[in-house]
Amino acid sequence: MIRIGSLEAIIPWNTFRCFFLNSLNFPFPTKRPCRSFQLWSRLPARITQSLLLHSHLGENGINRLRDTKSNSILALPLLLISLIICECCRLTQLLVSLSHEPRFPSPAVHPLSRLWSGSLPSHDPSLPRLILGSKVVFFPRLTLISLQGMVSLSLEEKHFIKGGIAQDLRCDGRKRLTCRPIYVETEVIPQANGSARVRMGATDVISSVKAELGKPSSSHPDRGKVFINIDCSSTAEPAFEGRGGEELSAELSISLQRCLLGGKSGAGAGIDLSSLVITEGKLCWDLYIDGLVVSSDGNLLDALGAAIKAALSNTGIPRVQVAAGASSDEQPEVDISDEEFLQFDTSGVPVIVTLTKVGKHYIVDATSEEESQMSAAVSISVNRQGHICGITKRGGAGLDPSIILDMISVAKHVSEQLMNKLDSEIASAEAEEES
Amino acid sequence: MEFVSPEGLRLDGRRPMEMRQIRAEIGAVSKADGSAVFEMGNTKVIAAVYGPRELQNRSQQISSQALVRCEYSMANFSTGDRMRKSKGDRRSTEISLVIRQTMEACILTHLMPRSQIDIYVQVLQADGGTRSACINAATLALADAGIPMCDLVTSCSAGYLNTTPLLDLNYVEDSAGGPDVTLGILPKLDKVTLLQMDSKLPIDILENVMQLAIEGCKAIAKYIREVLLENTKQLEYRRGV
């Protein structure tokens, strides 16, 4: 935040960086990895020296940071860049507030918090201050913001992520098998028969269910039809613009069909297809399940699976009266009730747990940074009885069969927690909606 | 069909000069630099802004100003009847262009040369006036991203049915075939940046309808300003300033 008289302005990191680079007449650093280092190397030596002398940390401070284990390599270029910015706007201090980031249980737990001790100024209201937008309050976030787009990480960041997973303490303070908190909101799309929005960290998906009358296929006259279609909105990632998101959308749609709808014949489906039939061979409900990825931060499949489950439990299908006495080859006349709705039985709908293998270990609910480091991922859908309803493996690396079996047993364990958490969230969302 | 009852009420119970309920929320997409949700009645859109950032395509670089891009898309479930539409059909291309031009007019692009700003708007529910809702959402998202603008551009539509000027048409009124004026203004500078009208309308009535739309835009601008102020206060509070 910059104050000029009574005027206050909060300047986000990206805008600031852009202004800054332009004011120095620098071209944008071109190569992706470790952009901040590049910027540093482009600065004339004279400026860098004066910056170091004038900054409150000085050379000693930076050397001290450099010595505190390998983690600090990550911090160094960012610290330098923040110093340049401070110097540039003639501010002497950069305040980064640690305590207000709610994602971490306690800053003291996080490995990066060690870096801060003693090296940053304390909260002093008399000092001029600079806040870099709403996102740049915490260190790991700062790193990733500067590398926006399809996340491309520097070597140090990659090591940091992998090292954290190996030590069972991930970048956001979670353990390997801990999920992010999950938030469910139902009835977000009033025009649909059922809808839900699910948020896990920065991942945000919406799912809607629409029911339309249709004709059962001739090969399965006793079953309704379910279509799953996923769209990746470009709001989630600029790379999804135009046709960019189609590949991922198709992959997610197919995986969800596999996990929720069972085999081609419809056997083993999580959704009871025979309950969708109105008149055998003539009339059935077609369920159109649409998913939309609004914001993506990894683990889309699990989030979409959860959203679909929540949307289905929110779905009311109108009761249909078929006019009796219609001859056998005619299309029967129907009367769709506006008031009576049949609740959908969702107890058989499985949840999906994706285990992402990074290095030697596997984790649940990976963020997109962690996903960028994965060698393989296995998505397992498990229903309430603990039966496996579908498995999809992604990623190129080969997995030992024994590891896969191990993963399945872990997924089964995790899915129980997830299922319970999801059920209670759905129940509370529906209770809130009614009140 | 009767769109205004003898008592002067519209189909959804509003008065002719009444707007639908508006609601705005900042920061719906945490990964984006700026984002906002904007609702006008049942119409609901999300806008996300990425940038200013490096150009993805260097050949598009403009050395004197920033490149502004916009993409408009509709969710499959956004309309009453489910539809399957691919991205980039004519209607969405046209709306993208309209939004881009409107936003470009208020962004101080010359301050950010050799960079690009992406605006993505996603319609979650469409019930008439998506164009206006998208522009309002985009304004909020741009403000959230901290992109310098000369004013907060806001937009609202107005129509003329049953010899009554109507503010903020919903889908049923919109598809009635009467004139539909979509207006975008810079409220502080008092300038019109977007004006679209279909169907025909006598000139003296157009003046009334436009005046009504301007009033609507100003009311939205007031609301947007309140939302932004509230958001800034929240930010300030969280920083402990």
Side-chain angles (χ1 to χ4, degrees):
Chain A
M1 180 172 293
I2 294 174
R3 278 171 209 245
I4 306 164
S6 62
L7 196 72
E8 291 181 349
I10 293 179
I11 300 180
W13 170 249
N14 264 344
T15 316
F16 198 89
R17 191 168 60 118
C18 180
F19 276 136
F20 168 68
L21 289 171
N22 277 315
S23 69
L24 287 181
N25 221 353
F26 275 137
F28 274 114
T30 44
K31 285 201 182 117
R32 291 240 147 208
C34 211
R35 199 173 291 163
S36 28
F37 264 131
Q38 280 216 348
L39 173 68
W40 183 240
S41 63
R42 277 162 190 259
L43 280 173
R46 193 174 48 81
I47 301 180
T48 62
Q49 272 173 9
S50 76
L51 280 179
L52 289 181
L53 288 176
H54 284 101
S55 65
H56 61 276
L57 276 174
E59 282 229 339
N60 280 339
I62 286 173
N63 278 331
R64 201 169 68 224
L65 273 180
R66 197 181 275 143
D67 290 338
T68 49
K69 287 202 171 176
S70 59
N71 284 353
S72 61
I73 303 170
L74 168 80
L76 186 61
L78 287 155
L79 186 74
L80 295 183
I81 209 165
S82 22
L83 291 180
I84 300 165
I85 290 167
C86 289
E87 193 65 25
C88 167
C89 53
R90 298 186 188 284
L91 293 172
T92 51
Q93 299 259 0
L94 170 73
L95 282 183
V96 182
S97 62
L98 275 170
S99 51
H100 299 300
E101 186 73 21
R103 287 192 301 153
F104 306 106
S106 147
V109 180
H110 198 264
L112 270 180
S113 63
R114 261 181 296 143
L115 288 174
W116 294 104
S117 52
S119 58
L120 264 185
S122 59
H123 237 276
D124 185 350
S126 67
L127 293 166
R129 58 188 61 183
L130 170 73
I131 295 168
L132 300 171
S134 55
K135 276 99 188 177
V136 196
V137 285
F138 196 67
F139 229 108
R141 208 73 188 108
L142 184 69
T143 353
L144 300 171
I145 280 290
S146 62
L147 296 162
Q148 238 184 21
M150 279 311 263
V151 183
S152 94
L153 303 168
S154 70
L155 208 58
E156 290 76 20
E157 285 165 317
K158 287 176 188 168
H159 283 311
F160 186 68
I161 290 170
K162 284 184 183 165
I165 289 168
Q167 290 172 31
D168 206 6
L169 183 56
R170 286 150 71 180
C171 286
D172 45 10
R174 284 184 290 157
K175 286 182 175 296
R176 279 197 288 266
L177 297 180
T178 319
C179 299
R180 287 174 285 190
I182 181 165
Y183 301 100
V184 179
E185 220 181 294
T186 51
E187 202 73 55
V188 286
I189 309 291
Q191 288 161 338
N193 292 74
S195 58
R197 174 183 178 193
V198 166
R199 280 177 295 150
M200 297 163 99
T203 297
D204 191 339
V205 296
I206 294 177
S207 157
S208 91
V209 179
K210 270 194 180 166
E212 282 172 20
L213 283 177
K215 203 170 184 284
S217 64
S218 53
S219 53
H220 297 290
D222 57 338
R223 292 205 183 104
K225 287 174 286 186
V226 179
F227 304 90
I228 298 181
N229 181 56
I230 306 299
D231 248 338
C232 292
S233 166
S234 41
T235 52
E237 195 96 64
F240 294 158
E241 198 184 318
R243 303 199 165 272
E246 263 175 24
E247 210 169 289
L248 181 65
S249 306
E251 192 190 334
L252 289 170
S253 308
I254 298 284
S255 306
L256 282 166
Q257 276 167 19
R258 198 172 291 141
C259 288
L260 300 176
L261 301 186
K264 268 221 174 65
S265 65
I271 301 166
D272 183 14
L273 297 178
S274 55
S275 69
L276 295 170
V277 172
I278 302 162
T279 314
E280 195 173 311
K282 277 186 196 152
L283 206 58
C284 70
W285 285 109
D286 289 348
L287 280 194
Y288 290 93
I289 302 178
D290 285 300
L292 181 74
V293 179
V294 176
S295 170
S296 92
D297 189 20
N299 208 21
L300 290 175
L301 198 62
D302 297 16
L304 283 165
I308 289 174
K309 190 173 159 68
L312 281 173
S313 64
N314 179 241
T315 300
I317 293 176
R319 189 187 289 278
V320 177
Q321 295 284 333
V322 181
S327 63
S328 58
D329 50 328
E330 267 175 53
Q331 198 65 19
E333 272 187 32
V334 290
D335 176 34
I336 301 171
S337 163
D338 286 342
E339 284 144 19
E340 275 185 277
F341 290 95
L342 295 176
Q343 211 58 35
F344 211 73
D345 178 30
T346 53
S347 57
V349 180
V351 290
I352 303 171
V353 174
T354 303
L355 292 169
T356 311
K357 191 159 184 283
V358 180
K360 284 184 183 146
H361 303 273
Y362 44 84
I363 53 174
V364 295
D365 198 8
T367 61
S368 53
E369 288 83 40
E370 286 162 342
E371 268 179 4
S372 70
Q373 297 310 304
M374 76 174 194
S375 55
V378 180
S379 299
I380 301 153
S381 71
V382 189
N383 67 8
R384 195 180 298 278
Q385 285 82 42
H387 297 161
I388 295 161
C389 303
I391 299 182
T392 314
K393 181 191 166 292
R394 287 174 295 146
L399 287 176
D400 198 86
S402 67
I403 292 186
I404 294 184
L405 291 177
D406 195 29
M407 279 175 152
I408 290 173
S409 67
V410 170
K412 202 173 145 184
H413 178 66
V414 174
S415 73
E416 271 171 39
Q417 301 168 4
L418 185 65
M419 183 86 88
N420 291 335
K421 213 156 58 173
L422 196 59
D423 280 344
S424 66
E425 274 291 326
I426 292 172
S428 69
E430 278 175 356
E432 196 166 291
E433 183 195 308
E434 274 163 25
S435 65
Chain B
M1 192 172 167
E2 193 180 59
F3 290 96
V4 185
S5 72
E7 294 85 46
L9 290 177
R10 286 153 74 178
L11 294 173
D12 49 4
R14 284 183 288 157
R15 302 261 164 205
M17 299 201 186
E18 195 179 332
M19 219 167 8
R20 287 175 288 179
Q21 192 172 18
I22 49 176
R23 196 184 73 87
E25 189 189 320
I26 289 177
V29 184
S30 35
K31 280 226 138 182
D33 292 312
S35 61
V37 179
F38 197 87
E39 286 175 40
M40 298 171 89
N42 276 331
T43 300
K44 185 173 181 180
V45 299
I46 286 188
V49 168
Y50 289 85
R53 55 189 187 131
E54 294 92 309
L55 282 139
Q56 303 308 97
N57 185 354
R58 294 219 143 224
S59 61
Q60 291 177 317
Q61 177 169 312
I62 314 167
S63 58
S64 60
Q65 64 176 68
L67 176 75
V68 180
R69 296 165 75 227
C70 180
E71 193 188 76
Y72 167 97
S73 49
M74 281 180 98
N76 283 333
F77 48 75
S78 62
T79 46
D81 294 317
R82 187 185 173 280
M83 53 153 193
R84 178 85 190 95
K85 251 202 238 170
S86 59
K87 277 180 178 177
D89 60 337
R90 282 196 170 209
R91 185 173 171 273
S92 25
T93 314
E94 190 257 340
I95 298 187
S96 306
L97 184 73
V98 168
I99 299 171
R100 200 199 70 185
Q101 286 171 343
T102 314
M103 298 331 285
E104 216 170 15
C106 74
I107 299 172
L108 302 174
T109 47
H110 63 276
L111 290 177
M112 297 159 284
R114 298 185 294 276
S115 57
Q116 112 178 18
I117 298 166
D118 290 300
I119 305 167
Y120 298 111
V121 281
Q122 173 81 48
V123 178
L124 297 182
Q125 279 183 83
D127 183 28
T130 48
R131 223 171 276 242
S132 302
C134 286
I135 289 175
N136 295 333
T139 304
L140 269 171
L142 283 168
D144 182 34
I147 287 167
M149 292 189 282
C150 60
D151 200 351
L152 294 168
V153 57
T154 55
S155 169
C156 190
S157 68
Y160 188 73
L161 288 167
N162 298 141
T163 64
T164 320
L166 301 176
L167 184 64
D168 191 17
L169 304 181
N170 65 19
Y171 181 73
V172 184
E173 291 164 338
D174 197 16
S175 42
D180 168 23
V181 182
T182 303
L183 197 74
I185 63 161
L186 299 172
K188 282 272 155 93
L189 303 173
D190 236 346
K191 284 202 170 113
V192 173
T193 52
L194 165 73
L195 177 60
Q196 288 184 323
M197 194 193 96
D198 35 27
S199 190
K200 61 179 178 187
L201 197 61
I203 291 180
D204 49 334
I205 293 174
L206 173 71
E207 207 179 307
N208 289 342
V209 174
M210 253 180 84
Q211 195 52 44
L212 189 63
I214 289 178
E215 294 298 320
C217 290
K218 285 195 172 153
I220 292 173
K222 194 166 158 252
Y223 178 69
I224 282 185
R225 224 162 254 284
E226 273 169 25
V227 170
L228 280 172
L229 201 67
E230 187 55 37
N231 183 58
T232 312
K233 276 185 190 154
Q234 288 268 323
L235 281 178
E236 218 177 7
Y237 172 72
R238 269 187 267 163
R239 298 287 180 285
V241 178

